[in-house]
């Protein structure tokens, strides 16, 4: 049993947890990161190595509106960050459409009749919008019209979530596409802005930074720097218990290490990026039943990536292609060579990642690897990106709890959980995507970790971590690093406790 007392025990070695540890260790504060993966740091931002081919789990563009986050990436591993061109397309009706949409291209491919239908549908939605939209469908139809929703949003979104768009909260739309409207897309196509323009929406950026060998490269360097600063980053540690000792005012964190050995770590602060549903089931003394029940009601969406290795036929140079075709199960296809040539060890080859969204334990998730590889070979040919017979090798990478589900209950559940933690666990800090059950991107997750570390360092909650990304700016306006303030998170914590 381990009995070292740290300033902070950090559960989870993804962007949020490692950023917290990096900031604390830089200031000489003792901390330990407990990561359940036995091989990789980075969480969903890790890079999986299969026979020298590197696979990015979900695709991670290193672009942030926050100057601090841009500078932090540079500080951690700036020499390994490449400037890469941004390119995405949508596959619909057997054709590929540039994303964001270019009106003239869409007009020629959809045809005059369909295009007029889209325009009239858009005008009708603007004239008679749904007031106070609650669902994803209502929100998107208000912005783009019913017909464009059906063509370019419905199929892909329902693949991602595994449920009808009317069951998905409007928050998902706000997080993913706020700031991008049909008018904005047309304006960008007709009068492209430069990367320095204050009117550029994040979706419309033309380039981004990317590590030479995938995002995991940055987090491996970060973990090593934490260790050099005196912190600890331990892999293969599955947290099994979180107990608060009120007499000592310390957290006792129990985990299962190598060979099943039980270890215990003590700390003044507990920082958690583990799924909040799992965390609340472990906390002792147990929180009020309403909070435990709220956490148990939270849901998650999982996904898997089927990596295919094949000769480079130069069929597409996009970073990824969204598959808006109900005839295939694949939701998105990545081309890792387009992210960085160093992701592929043989220049005559390329590697694709076919992403399938599912629930842990369902038929797709549970299928044997060879069946999933056969499915991917069939579907990559159906969408015209390669011939299945050309595939030389493949692998399957499963990602549990990739997305917190934004259903019609999650806001109330999170509100109850936050209230209980504020009342009973003032030295427990939630960070990151699953830790907060909030769709934080990599830069948002890092900011929650950075501000949490500063709260711990100061001994006071000077920053409201929940205000990070509160404005739902996923596709943000502005160029990289345009904001010098800390994401408007300088609001005193007490002013926002209990807000959804």
């Amino acid at each position: 049993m381990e009995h070292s007392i740290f300033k902070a025990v950090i559960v989870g070695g993804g962007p949020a947890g490692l950023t917290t540890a990096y900031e604390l260790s830089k200031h000489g504060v003792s901390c330990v990161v407990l990561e359940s993966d036995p091989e990789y740091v980075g969480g969903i931002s890790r890079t999986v190595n299969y026979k020298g081919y590197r696979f990015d789990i979900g695709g991670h563009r290193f672009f942030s509106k926050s100057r601090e986050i841009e500078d932090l990436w540079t500080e951690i591993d700036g020499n390994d960050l490449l400037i890469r061109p941004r390119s995405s397309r949508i596959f619909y009706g057997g054709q590929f459409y540039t994303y964001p949409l270019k009106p003239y291209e869409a007009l020629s491919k959809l045809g005059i009749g369909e295009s007029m239908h889209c325009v009239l549908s858009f005008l009708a939605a603007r004239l008679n919008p749904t007031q106070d939209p609650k669902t994803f469908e209502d929100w998107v139809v208000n912005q783009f019209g019913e017909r464009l929703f059906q063509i370019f949003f419905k199929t892909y979104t329902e693949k991602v979530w595994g449920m009808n768009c009317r069951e998905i909260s409007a928050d998902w739309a706000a997080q993913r596409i706020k700031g991008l409207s049909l008018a904005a897309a047309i304006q960008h196509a007709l009068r492209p802005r430069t990367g320095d323009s204050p009117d550029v929406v994040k979706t419309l950026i033309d380039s981004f930074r990317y590590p030479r060998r995938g995002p995991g490269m940055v987090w491996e360097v970060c973990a090593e720097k934490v260790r050099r600063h005196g912190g600890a980053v331990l892999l293969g540690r599955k947290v099994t218990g979180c107990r608060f000792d009120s007499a000592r005012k310390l957290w006792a964190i129990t985990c299962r290490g190598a060979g099943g050995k039980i270890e215990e770590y003590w700390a003044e602060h507990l920082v958690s990026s583990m799924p909040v549903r799992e965390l609340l089931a472990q906390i002792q003394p147990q929180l009020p039943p309403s909070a435990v029940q709220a956490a148990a009601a939270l849901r998650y969406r999982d996904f898997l990536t089927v990596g295919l290795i094949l000769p480079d036929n130069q069929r597409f140079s996009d970073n990824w292609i969204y598959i808006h075709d109900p005839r295939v199960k694949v939701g998105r296809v990545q081309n890792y060579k387009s992210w960085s040539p160093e992701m592929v060890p043989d220049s005559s080859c390329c590697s694709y990642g076919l992403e399938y969204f599912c629930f842990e334990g369902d038929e797709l998730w549970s299928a044997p690897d060879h069946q999933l590889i056969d499915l991917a070979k069939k579907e990559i040919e159906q969408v015209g990106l390669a011939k299945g017979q050309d595939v030389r090798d493949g692998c399957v990478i499963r990602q549990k709890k990739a997305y917190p589900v934004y259903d019609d209950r999650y806001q109330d559940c999170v509100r109850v959980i936050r209230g209980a933690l504020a009342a009973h666990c003032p030295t427990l800090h939630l960070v990151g995507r699953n830790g907060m059950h909030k769709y934080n991107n990599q830069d948002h997750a890092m900011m929650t970790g950075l501000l949490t570390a500063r709260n711990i360092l100061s001994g006071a909650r000077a920053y409201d971590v929940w205000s990070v990304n509160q404005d739902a700016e996923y596709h943000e306006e502005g160029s990289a690093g345009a904001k010098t303030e800390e994401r408007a998170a300088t609001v005193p914590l007490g002013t926002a406790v209990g807000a959804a």
Side-chain angles (χ1 to χ4, degrees), residues 282-419:
Q282 295 184 13
I283 291 177
Q284 294 293 333
Q286 193 175 64
L287 292 170
S290 59
V292 176
Q293 292 165 10
L298 296 175
R299 297 192 295 155
Y300 303 85
R301 185 67 163 160
D302 314 284
F303 82 91
L304 57 87
T305 298
V306 180
L308 300 180
I309 299 168
L310 63 164
D312 189 358
N313 56 21
Q314 299 185 354
R315 289 285 184 92
F316 75 103
S317 60
D318 305 88
N319 309 124
W320 57 45
I321 295 177
Y322 300 94
I323 309 300
H324 291 232
D325 189 332
R327 297 173 300 172
V328 294
K329 294 181 179 179
V330 63
R332 190 169 65 178
V333 180
Q334 292 199 61
N335 181 350
Y336 297 105
K337 200 171 187 178
S338 293
W339 289 94
S340 169
E342 292 189 43
M343 300 286 277
V344 180
D346 183 345
S347 61
S348 69
C349 292
C350 62
S351 58
Y352 296 160
L354 281 74
E355 296 177 354
Y356 292 88
F357 304 95
C358 48
F359 289 110
E360 183 181 357
D362 70 12
E363 182 179 3
L364 195 59
W365 177 270
S366 303
D369 287 4
H370 70 89
Q371 288 185 12
L372 291 168
I373 292 170
D374 286 343
L375 173 65
K377 289 163 65 174
K378 174 185 174 183
E379 295 197 339
I380 199 71
E381 187 163 329
Q382 282 182 266
V383 297
L385 296 176
K387 291 187 178 296
Q389 64 188 26
D390 291 338
V391 175
R392 295 179 179 176
D393 200 356
C395 65
V396 177
I397 304 159
R398 291 173 174 82
Q399 177 61 50
K400 296 180 181 179
K401 296 178 175 62
Y403 305 118
V405 170
Y406 274 24
D407 56 23
D408 55 3
R409 298 182 57 191
Y410 95 96
Q411 287 182 315
D412 290 337
C413 291
V414 170
R415 186 180 296 111
V416 170
I417 292 165
R418 288 185 61 190

Side-chain angles (χ1 to χ4, degrees), residues 148-189:
L148 279 174
F149 163 75
Q150 293 288 337
I151 294 174
F152 292 118
F153 293 93
K154 180 178 171 62
T155 299
Y156 178 77
T157 302
E158 292 184 352
K159 281 184 182 182
V160 171
W161 293 110
M163 57 183 172
N164 190 283
C165 286
R166 298 206 65 81
E167 300 175 69
I168 304 168
S169 170
D171 286 10
W172 170 247
Q175 291 264 350
R176 301 300 293 176
I177 54 182
K178 182 177 180 180
L180 179 66
S181 65
L182 183 61
I186 293 172
Q187 183 183 56
H188 178 79

Side-chain angles (χ1 to χ4, degrees), residues 97-98 100-111 115 119 181-191:
Y97 295 79
T98 302
L101 297 173
K102 294 183 177 180
Y104 298 128
E105 177 193 56
L107 177 66
S108 63
K109 291 182 177 179
L110 287 175
S115 296
V119 171
S181 65
L182 183 61
I186 293 172
Q187 183 183 56
H188 178 79
L190 296 178
R191 293 188 299 157

Side-chain angles (χ1 to χ4, degrees), residues 207 269 335 424:
S207 64
H269 294 266
N335 181 350
H424 299 280

Side-chain angles (χ1 to χ4, degrees), residues 23-249:
E23 182 72 4
L24 290 175
S25 63
K26 274 202 313 182
H27 288 84
V29 173
S30 62
C31 62
V32 57
V33 176
L34 304 177
E35 168 55 46
S36 61
D37 193 294
E39 185 176 1
Y40 299 106
V41 292
I44 197 173
S45 297
R46 71 191 185 281
T47 303
V48 174
N49 188 332
Y50 174 76
K51 298 181 180 179
Y53 289 83
R54 290 173 167 80
F55 297 90
D56 183 346
I57 313 305
H60 291 83
R61 291 174 177 145
F62 281 61
F63 175 91
S64 179
K65 188 177 180 180
S66 168
R67 169 50 56 193
E68 282 203 278
I69 297 302
E70 288 283 346
D71 290 346
L72 188 55
W73 282 324
T74 301
E75 178 181 328
I76 293 171
D77 197 24
N79 291 334
D80 287 318
L81 294 174
L82 308 175
I83 302 298
R84 301 299 297 160
R86 178 207 184 281
S87 178
S88 304
R89 284 186 293 170
I90 292 172
F91 179 74
Y92 167 76
Q95 298 191 83
F96 293 93
Y97 295 79
T98 302
Y99 182 77
L101 297 173
K102 294 183 177 180
Y104 298 128
E105 177 193 56
L107 177 66
S108 63
K109 291 182 177 179
L110 287 175
I112 297 297
E114 185 67 88
S115 296
M116 289 301 298
H117 189 174
C118 291
V119 171
L120 292 174
S121 176
F122 168 72
L123 293 174
R126 303 305 287 177
L127 291 171
N128 188 29
T130 298
Q131 300 299 319
D132 190 24
K134 300 292 186 183
T135 72
F136 176 91
E137 181 172 335
D138 290 340
W139 196 98
V140 175
V141 169
N142 275 0
Q143 295 294 115
F144 297 92
E146 174 69 28
R147 188 56 189 159
L148 279 174
F149 163 75
Q150 293 288 337
I151 294 174
F152 292 118
F153 293 93
K154 180 178 171 62
T155 299
Y156 178 77
T157 302
E158 292 184 352
K159 281 184 182 182
V160 171
W161 293 110
M163 57 183 172
N164 190 283
C165 286
R166 298 206 65 81
E167 300 175 69
I168 304 168
S169 170
D171 286 10
W172 170 247
Q175 291 264 350
R176 301 300 293 176
I177 54 182
K178 182 177 180 180
L180 179 66
S181 65
L182 183 61
I186 293 172
Q187 183 183 56
H188 178 79
L190 296 178
R191 293 188 299 157
R193 308 294 182 106
T194 67
D196 295 327
S197 168
D199 298 323
V200 174
V201 178
K202 184 173 180 181
T203 313
L204 309 179
I205 59 173
D206 297 320
S207 64
F208 56 91
R209 292 197 292 175
Y210 192 77
R212 294 185 299 108
R213 295 185 178 180
M217 185 179 197
V218 167
W219 299 115
E220 289 161 9
V221 171
C222 184
E224 184 55 36
K225 288 189 173 183
V226 169
R227 296 182 181 110
R228 288 181 200 166
H229 291 313
V233 179
L234 305 178
L235 303 186
R237 265 64 174 191
K238 174 66 175 177
V239 171
T240 57
C242 303
R243 176 174 58 87
F244 185 71
D245 186 327
S246 57
R248 300 178 66 187
K249 298 189 183 304

